[in-house]
Amino acid sequence: MTEEVKTYHAEVARDGRFWLIRVREIDRSTQALRYKDVVTMASELIEIMDGAKDEEYDLHLEVQCCSLLGFTTRSG
């Protein structure tokens, strides 16, 4: 029997000097100083807030690139 792995989605955007990371499934946020730390920070947030272990979940990053290029998007 195969156990289903939970998937978390982290929305990542540059916010001044930091990378803002919001994990939708737990409705919590954190930040990283460097992009290379985004996965670590998101994983630590998930593990602390949800009690999941690293091998028990998948993490998908959704990086908002437009803010990096100085563009803004509008909906509606």
Side-chain angles (χ1 to χ4, degrees):
M1 182 157 88
T2 305
E3 222 177 288
E4 190 170 323
V5 176
K6 185 170 183 175
T7 300
Y8 293 89
H9 298 86
E11 299 166 351
V12 181
R14 189 73 175 173
D15 185 29
R17 292 184 46 220
F18 299 94
W19 289 92
L20 182 60
I21 307 155
R22 181 179 169 274
V23 181
R24 289 190 306 231
E25 288 75 12
I26 58 174
D27 196 29
R28 299 286 179 165
S29 298
T30 188
Q31 59 187 15
L33 186 57
R34 295 176 299 270
Y35 181 77
K36 71 177 190 172
D37 298 326
V38 166
V39 171
T40 300
M41 296 302 293
S43 295
E44 287 179 359
L45 181 66
I46 292 165
E47 292 168 17
I48 290 168
M49 299 307 296
D50 230 16
K53 301 216 182 330
D54 186 47
E55 63 277 352
E56 297 175 343
Y57 64 90
D58 286 331
L59 175 60
H60 291 264
L61 299 180
E62 298 173 10
V63 180
Q64 296 178 5
C65 66
C66 296
S67 62
L68 296 175
L69 302 174
F71 297 108
T72 56
T73 58
R74 295 180 66 188
S75 61

